[in-house]
Amino acid sequence: MPSLTYDVTVSRDGSLWLLEIPALGGRAEARWLGEAETVARAFVADFEDVDPDDVELDITVEYPGETAKHLDRAEEYRRKAADALDSEWESLSFAARELDAAALTRRDIGDILGLPVQRVRRLLKGSPRPTTAAELAN
């Protein structure tokens, strides 16, 4: 059975989140934002008498005040930071390879670059920049 898609607008209403589903002329409430999708999916499924897994949602959250603007700015900075970290990793890789070609030990390369030996090995192997806590630990 094809999925049903419904637009849902979520906004703060007092101490609750109000879910508006215009296609059904319906409203529901969630106690916290994290349960909005589940509540909306159950509401639509009950209304349409379908399995909740057959319901697709396009959720738009309306934040109070200028929160959306601040979140957009934070995402822009996050992207810039990731780009800068990628550039840093690339520069460190070039430096590590040059130092390796000059027959420096991994320990000396690490001291020069300010990195642990394990990170120097990753640079020399051409591994991508670590992005998770587990990768950063190695």
Side-chain angles (χ1 to χ4, degrees), residues 3-8 19 21 36-42 44-45 52 54-60:
S3 295
L4 304 170
T5 303
Y6 291 86
D7 292 329
V8 179
L19 290 62
I21 308 165
E37 181 178 348
T38 303
V39 169
R41 189 177 309 283
V44 171
D54 292 332
V55 175
E56 292 291 325
L57 302 174
D58 185 6
I59 298 177
T60 302

Side-chain angles (χ1 to χ4, degrees), residues 12-31:
R12 194 71 177 159
D13 186 28
S15 63
L16 298 171
W17 289 93
L18 177 64
L19 290 62
E20 296 185 68
I21 308 165
L24 303 178
R27 291 178 156 196
E29 294 177 340
R31 292 170 292 180

